[in-house]
Amino acid sequence: MGIIYDGTQTLGLIAGKIISNPLDTDNVVLIGGAHKTLPAPSCGLIMTNNIHYSELLKRNITPNYLRNTQPNHIAALLMCLIEQEEFGRQYQSQIVKSANLLGNALEKYHFRLAKLDDHIYTYTHQVFVLMSQEDAENYYVNAQKFNISLNQKHKKLFGNDGIRLGTQQISRYNWDNKEIMPLAKLLYLLLKPEINQKEILQLRNYLIEKKIPQFEYECISIK
């Protein structure tokens, strides 16, 4: 019997050998989208370690489900995969480090967080802030007002309601505590933005200046 494993959220972490690879198990089809921890143009990937499954997928995906291909997407995806071969381990390690630094910083501002133990908030890119449904809805609206991207979630696993934060993008900037602590303070100030608007904008502008991409090839301009 085969297993279909959706690794959309964690494809990059799998590729960087930060978490277990489902393809180390027999008879697995690994599917996912390249827009979370795998930093590439949004597209789907299907992988398997089983030759029989591979042949079935080839025969059925085209033309039953896919009628055309986009060479530009394929080229960009391949570039991402090559980049991840060189920088992926460092980048993906930074994702998990950033998530746990952020969790620790948020607790200092008295946020309640889902935790694995006293010192570990996550093994991936996700940090979950526990809130009531009403508080989570208000917080999400406050963040949108300042173009701050986060997710309001309802999951029984985390006590029903809260806010999910993903660190995959800020990890591209290789931030450490000198950026994570201001970020935590910014998230704290969003609880009462009408009082803290000036300071929110100052912190937001400071962090925007720190958005310097790393873990990637440098672009060379040819004139």
Side-chain angles (χ1 to χ4, degrees):
M1 181 172 61
I3 297 171
I4 298 177
Y5 184 101
D6 183 356
T8 295
Q9 292 281 349
T10 56
L11 279 181
L13 295 166
I14 292 168
K17 300 181 180 180
I18 304 302
I19 63 175
S20 299
N21 188 345
L23 293 177
D24 290 338
T25 302
D26 292 336
N27 301 328
V28 169
V29 176
L30 174 59
I31 64 173
H35 65 291
K36 295 291 185 181
T37 53
L38 187 64
S42 183
C43 59
L45 293 92
I46 303 176
M47 295 160 277
T48 184
N49 54 10
N50 183 295
I51 296 298
H52 175 62
Y53 292 167
S54 177
E55 292 301 321
L56 289 174
L57 289 164
K58 285 179 185 177
R59 290 200 301 268
N60 284 280
I61 290 175
T62 303
N64 294 339
Y65 299 100
L66 184 67
R67 298 294 297 177
N68 65 322
T69 58
Q70 299 292 331
N72 57 324
H73 261 204
I74 294 171
L77 174 60
L78 288 173
M79 186 64 207
C80 163
L81 296 176
I82 292 168
E83 188 176 80
Q84 287 298 292
E85 260 195 316
E86 182 163 345
F87 304 109
R89 180 76 177 183
Q90 293 173 280
Y91 167 52
Q92 303 297 338
S93 295
Q94 182 63 36
I95 286 176
V96 181
K97 177 184 175 183
S98 296
N100 283 282
L101 284 175
L102 181 58
N104 181 261
L106 288 171
E107 273 203 327
K108 291 178 180 178
Y109 283 101
H110 307 293
F111 282 97
R112 293 190 309 117
L113 286 96
K115 298 175 70 171
L116 298 170
D117 65 28
D118 287 343
H119 305 290
I120 299 175
Y121 300 88
T122 180
Y123 290 124
T124 69
H125 59 300
Q126 296 186 17
V127 178
F128 202 90
V129 182
L130 304 173
M131 292 182 174
S132 69
Q133 182 176 359
E134 181 181 359
D135 287 344
E137 288 173 356
N138 291 334
Y139 193 86
Y140 179 76
V141 171
N142 291 342
Q144 281 191 315
K145 292 176 182 177
F146 295 94
N147 293 324
I148 296 171
S149 178
L150 43 77
N151 298 115
Q152 179 190 350
K153 288 292 179 181
H154 178 83
K155 286 192 174 184
K156 289 184 179 180
L157 179 63
F158 301 117
N160 291 330
D161 291 284
I163 295 294
R164 186 183 69 181
L165 305 171
T167 59
Q168 66 271 24
Q169 187 56 45
I170 64 169
S171 298
R172 291 289 276 187
Y173 314 133
N174 202 23
W175 285 0
D176 213 324
N177 261 330
K178 62 182 180 296
E179 293 86 22
I180 295 294
M181 287 304 298
L183 174 59
K185 184 175 183 180
L186 171 61
L187 294 171
Y188 169 71
L189 295 175
L190 287 175
L191 291 169
K192 296 182 179 179
E194 65 281 356
I195 298 173
N196 303 309
Q197 182 170 348
K198 183 178 179 180
E199 195 170 3
I200 288 172
L201 292 173
Q202 287 175 339
L203 285 170
R204 184 175 174 275
N205 291 337
Y206 167 78
L207 292 170
I208 287 172
E209 290 176 0
K210 299 296 181 179
K211 291 171 65 174
I212 303 170
Q214 298 185 45
F215 308 117
E216 62 180 16
Y217 293 120
E218 293 185 14
C219 294
I220 300 174
S221 177
I222 300 175
K223 297 182 179 179

